[in-house]
Every structure is written in structure tokens, then in C-alpha cells.
Amino acid sequence: MTTKRGFTTTILHADRLGKPEHGSLHKPIHTSVTYGHEDVQDLVDIFQNKKKGYAYSRQGNPTVTALEHKVTNMEKGLSSIAFSTGMAAISATVMALIKHGDHIVASSFLFGNSRSIFQTYIDLGLDITFVDATDVENVRNEVRANTKMVFVETIANPATQVADLQGIGELCTQKGIIYVVDNTMTSPYLFNPIDVKASLVINSLTKYIGGHGDALGGCVTDTGLFNWSNYPNIFETFKKQVKPETLGLTQIRKKGLRDAGGTLSPEAAHTIAVGAETLALRLERACNNALALAQYFESHPMIKNVFYPGIKSHKQHERAGKLFKKFGGLMSIELDESIDCLAFLNKLKLVVKSSNLGDTRTLAIPVAQTIFFELGADKRAEMGIPETMIRLSVGIEDLEDLMADFKEALG
Ligand SMILES: *Cc1c(COP(=O)(O)O)cnc(C)c1O
């Protein structure tokens, strides 16, 4: 595929490269679960990784492959594997590459369900240490001889901390550790983790890439920077079958996708691919809306705190400005204690009270009462989550309408 074209042009015309079926502008939705082969040798070769092709849709489907190519292009990577959800991509990646006795360093500000699956892996016997990843020194202090993976997010949710992405990339490269970056919050339009030497990039396709809140999906992309041939956990049988640079994703596809079965449906792959065509347009608008709202909230006397990388008071504002094209669509605000957080939310007429993010519509959720409720008040205080925090996923509505909704609710 050509890489010289722009971000949006490349996505729009991706399905016409190669041989478009009947001139179709979209990759058709292939619903067949299994694939028949005239010569059984083809089937054998596909099973033995000697030939590309399709055998059974749990581990590969042409419509899903077309979406994987688009994500690979967006991330400037080597290749990608799509999953049924972002969580399926994360859990399969860790499960396929890490063994008992290995150690992982992960950010302590992870997406709640990622934190939860990591806890499950701890209960199953993996060794995982959580650190404040906004400073590479915290990661460096925990790296040991058996550390095999570092896992961070770009912008954390809900308090929007920005990890020391560059510093951690250098550390992992130097130590030969797999560096996994969850790029969901920035998306490949604002940031490519390959630029900070990430080995693997995770995207929840459900969020900005699909973008319309109408399909679940996830993806892992190999940037091509990690040397898999020396990685001890790769199965010998794969080493004999595939090129060294494809060993990592081969193992994730077989041991993660095929065995755990978090397969993306072709219908969802199509919906996400259509959504992805406008990623750049949507995100430009959402980021501009978010910045304008953050500036308004910052000057409002009833709002105690604004958590958004785009404002100067944010601790990693400068880092975010250097790394990301824009500052993203997600922010949190801390209301003055005198305001009842739930009553305030109920006054919003346009903004939807909902838990998703990365939708075209602006969504708001009270953090302590929902996504961080299970933790309890003490743990929330420890993690810097105020009881009157509201998380906003800013959409692409007309800014004046969003402003009017918040002004009225705060009035
Ligand atoms: C939503 C999200 C996920 C999980 O994605 P799903 O598609 O909902 O499974 C993972 N990481 C981050 C940062 C997310 O925001």
C-alpha cells in the first residue's frame, strides 16, 4: 500500500488497492465461517503458515483483514490483528506473550477494565507491578531481569495524565522489553506510538476509530521495532514456520485470537471501517470543542479543577503538545463541593449521561459513583479521584450548543 498519501486519503481508497471485487468501493462483508479449497494442499499450507489464506473465520476473515490493513496504515506499522473488543485485544496480547515467572510493569492509571484483567492475571500467577508512568524513573526502578513487558496508555482516563512515552520507549529499547502502548485515547490520528519506539500498539476500535458508538472492536498492531527472534516465549513450531518479524503477531493470532476466540465479526469490521473514514475530521472537531470547553470551565468559579492536557495548568501540558497533534476529546472536571454532581448532570439537556467515550455525541458520567465506585472512597482519594468529578467525552456537536447546555446547567 502507498504510504505517501495523506491519512484520510489512504483510508478512503484502501479497499480499491489490490483487486476490488466487482469494483466495490468497500470491502464486501464476507459472512462465511469456513473456506473451501479445491486443492487440499492449499488448506494444509494455510494451517502450516506456509501460505496466506482463510480456513476458519475465528482466526481470519477477508472483511476483517481489510480493516486490519487500514489500522496498520494508520499506525505506520507492520501488520495488525483485529479483535471483538479492545479488552479482547489486550487480554489476548498479554496471554499470548507472557508466561508464568515473567514480570510486567504497568501504569497505575490504566483504564478500569485493563486494571481488572491485570488483577486477574496476578491471581493466575503473573507478576505485575503498577507504577506512576508519568515519569520513566518509576518504571526504571521496577525493571528486573524477568521483566518482559511494559504496558502504558497515552492519555489516562479520567484524570488525563500523560505517560512519559518517549522516556519509557528508550528504556524498553535499551533493555529489550516489549513496549505496549494503548493508543485508544489519542487514536492514530493524534499520535503514532511507533514514534516513541513502541513494540505493539493497542486500539479500542469502539472509541474514536469506529467513532459512532455503534460497533465494538479492538486491534493490536506490530510496529516492527521489537526483535522477536530472541524472545524466549515464542513457540519453536512458529519459529520454523514464519519470518522472524512476524513471530509476535503469529503467536498472538494463534495463542491469543484463535484459542481465546475474541473474534471480530465481519459486520462490525465493516461498520468500523466506514466510521474510520472520517476519523481525522471528527477528531479535529472534537478536540477543538474540548479545548474551548476546557478554557470556559477553567474560568468558571463553580468548577474547582479541570483535567485536560490542552490547558497550561496540566502537569504534562508541554509533553502532550510535543507528542500529540491535538489534546484529545476527553476531559474531567471537578465541581465545587456545594454543587450536587448528579443534580448538575440531570440539568444537562443535550449532553448524554453515558459511560462510553469517543462517540460523535458528547457524553458525561459521574466518576466516583460509577466507573470508580467499586474501589471505594479511600482508594479513590489515594488515586486523586475527587467525589465531584465528572468525565466528559466531547463530541462533534456545534460548539455554541454545547456551551449553551453547560452554561444553563451551571447557572
Ligand atoms: C474503552 C477502552 C478499552 C477497552 O475497549 P473496549 O472496546 O470497550 O473493550 C481499552 N483501553 C482504553 C484506554 C479504553 O478507553
Side-chain angles (χ1 to χ4, degrees), residues 249-358:
L249 282 203
T250 298
Q251 185 143 319
I252 296 173
R253 190 176 289 279
K254 302 283 177 181
K255 296 288 165 186
L257 177 66
R258 183 197 63 191
D259 294 358
T263 306
L264 182 67
S265 78
E267 291 85 357
H270 169 76
T271 303
I272 291 164
V274 174
E277 294 183 354
T278 55
L279 172 60
L281 285 76
R282 286 184 280 105
L283 216 49
E284 281 287 332
R285 171 91 158 214
C287 291
N288 292 347
N289 280 351
L291 184 59
L293 282 173
Q295 285 162 349
Y296 163 69
F297 291 139
E298 218 186 3
S299 65
H300 199 286
M302 298 311 273
I303 292 177
K304 246 174 96 176
N305 247 314
V306 180
F307 303 84
Y308 185 63
I311 56 176
K312 287 209 178 65
S313 58
H314 190 282
K315 274 193 194 142
Q316 293 94 30
H317 171 67
E318 211 175 303
R319 175 184 292 165
K322 271 192 205 140
L323 290 172
F324 311 143
K325 191 173 278 160
K326 295 210 161 184
F327 296 101
L330 189 105
M331 84 173 76
S332 291
I333 53 176
E334 180 184 357
L335 301 177
D336 189 272
E337 282 100 3
S338 64
I339 304 181
D340 177 340
C341 170
L342 302 189
F344 164 76
L345 281 167
N346 278 335
K347 281 193 180 156
L348 293 166
K349 295 195 179 78
L350 183 67
V351 173
V352 187
K353 277 76 79 180
S354 165
S355 70
N356 191 23
L357 61 93

Side-chain angles (χ1 to χ4, degrees), residues 85-87 90 111 114 153 182 184-185 204 206-207 216-217 357:
T85 63
M87 286 318 304
I90 291 168
F111 174 66
S114 300
E153 294 173 2
D182 182 336
T184 301
M185 215 53 82
S204 165
T206 317
K207 312 290 172 57
L216 292 157
L357 61 93

Side-chain angles (χ1 to χ4, degrees), residues 103-106 129-133 135-147 150 167-168 171-172 174-175 177:
H103 174 241
I104 300 175
V105 180
T129 311
F130 296 99
V131 300
D132 176 349
D135 184 350
V136 63
E137 293 315 315
N138 299 329
V139 179
R140 195 189 310 276
N141 288 340
E142 293 298 338
V143 167
R144 314 170 194 161
N146 63 339
T147 304
V150 172
I168 298 170
L171 174 71
C172 289
Q174 188 194 354
K175 302 264 181 192
I177 298 170

Side-chain angles (χ1 to χ4, degrees), residues 153-157 160-163 182 185-186 309 324 327-328 330:
E153 294 173 2
T154 52
I155 302 176
N157 153 20
T160 72
Q161 299 94 333
V162 179
D182 182 336
M185 215 53 82
T186 22
F324 311 143
F327 296 101
L330 189 105

